[in-house]
Amino acid sequence: MRVLNYSVNAGLGVIFPAKTFIIEGESDLYIISPGPLNEEMIKELRKSNKTINFISPNNFHNMYLSYAKDLFPNANFFGPKRSMKVSEVDLKPLNELKQSELKQIQIKGHKTLSETCFYNINTKELILTDLIFNMRHKMNFMSKTAFIMAGTYHRIGTSRLVKLGINNKEQFKQSLIELSKLDTTSIYLNHGSKLTPDEFKQHIDQLIL
């Protein structure tokens, strides 16, 4: 798996570190949470004879979908309805993404987020988007203030906004239990450093309680 780092300006001076994940399958390329691509990567993707799939993993990671569509008009695009509405890119539902390399785990009980997590069956790597943060980098004042308020400053944490948005606690809990049962080697977070399986399980156990 390849990881490309970029930053997102959320407004009012709040900067999010973010990542694009590129997974190469036998006949497909999966680009999860697409962000800006450098010229080298664009050339590499254009030379590939594999099917390119751009994936918006939740309702909020849609900023670069129209950009990707302009670059790769013949690629496949998947994501939730809100991402399609905001980006104005025609997205297929994620359950129509047919593949054997990636297992999808939908976080149920949270309609606002509508997040799908991705588990690479071959490498046992798990990708999460906004469910958990682990941002320990140096931040400007506004970013630091925002993440302190969200409960995610320099720690492994789930944002208070995510917790407040849970609309079905039992469904949400069952989704977390499904994640915790996966045999993982590394847990990659879109916002922050990756987690070890032990760190991940400990945080999931705290969320479930």
Side-chain angles (χ1 to χ4, degrees):
M1 179 171 67
R2 299 172 71 171
V3 181
L4 307 179
N5 295 295
Y6 64 102
S7 296
V8 175
N9 189 336
L12 300 176
V14 178
I15 307 297
F16 276 80
K19 299 181 180 70
T20 295
F21 301 98
I22 302 177
I23 299 173
E24 185 169 0
E26 186 173 341
S27 59
D28 289 75
L29 287 167
Y30 308 100
I31 303 176
I32 301 171
S33 187
L37 302 172
N38 58 41
E39 288 298 321
E40 182 181 351
M41 179 57 65
I42 292 171
K43 290 178 181 178
E44 184 177 331
L45 291 175
R46 283 177 172 163
K47 288 180 181 179
S48 176
N49 59 1
K50 297 188 176 185
T51 301
I52 299 176
N53 305 285
F54 287 95
I55 299 169
S56 171
N58 67 24
N59 275 332
F60 302 100
H61 278 245
N62 47 54
M63 185 180 295
Y64 287 92
L65 289 178
S66 59
Y67 157 86
K69 183 69 173 178
D70 289 340
L71 288 174
F72 301 95
N74 296 320
N76 296 319
F77 288 79
F78 298 88
K81 290 181 178 179
R82 184 185 182 278
S83 283
M84 180 165 62
K85 181 178 180 180
V86 172
S87 68
E88 298 183 339
V89 174
D90 187 21
L91 303 180
K92 300 176 183 178
L94 278 163
N95 59 17
E96 292 184 13
L97 177 62
K98 305 302 181 184
Q99 35 64 41
S100 57
E101 294 95 354
L102 293 179
K103 175 182 174 64
Q104 298 183 38
I105 302 93
Q106 183 183 3
I107 303 301
K108 299 179 180 178
H110 202 303
K111 292 181 180 179
T112 305
L113 192 59
S114 190
E115 178 162 325
T116 298
C117 306
F118 295 89
Y119 176 69
N120 189 324
I121 295 170
N122 297 323
T123 63
K124 298 182 179 180
E125 295 169 321
L126 177 64
I127 297 172
L128 309 181
T129 306
D130 290 335
L131 182 64
I132 301 174
F133 291 177
N134 185 26
M135 300 179 295
R136 300 175 185 270
H137 62 287
K138 186 176 180 180
M139 303 178 188
N140 64 31
F141 175 78
M142 292 305 296
S143 298
K144 179 178 179 179
T145 301
F147 296 131
I148 287 174
M149 292 175 64
T152 57
Y153 176 69
H154 281 197
R155 63 186 294 268
I156 300 169
T158 295
S159 168
R160 291 191 176 98
L161 288 176
V162 170
K163 292 177 180 179
L164 289 172
I166 299 170
N167 60 281
N168 187 312
K169 291 183 179 180
E170 185 57 33
Q171 287 184 349
F172 188 75
K173 177 180 177 180
Q174 290 305 316
S175 297
L176 297 181
I177 290 173
E178 184 178 358
L179 285 177
S180 68
K181 289 181 178 179
L182 294 171
D183 180 15
T184 55
T185 55
S186 295
I187 296 84
Y188 284 83
L189 308 181
N190 197 287
H191 303 295
S193 303
K194 66 182 181 180
L195 305 179
T196 66
D198 286 343
E199 289 173 328
F200 176 63
K201 188 177 186 307
Q202 183 178 6
H203 184 70
I204 290 295
D205 287 346
Q206 292 172 353
L207 282 178
I208 290 173
L209 294 176

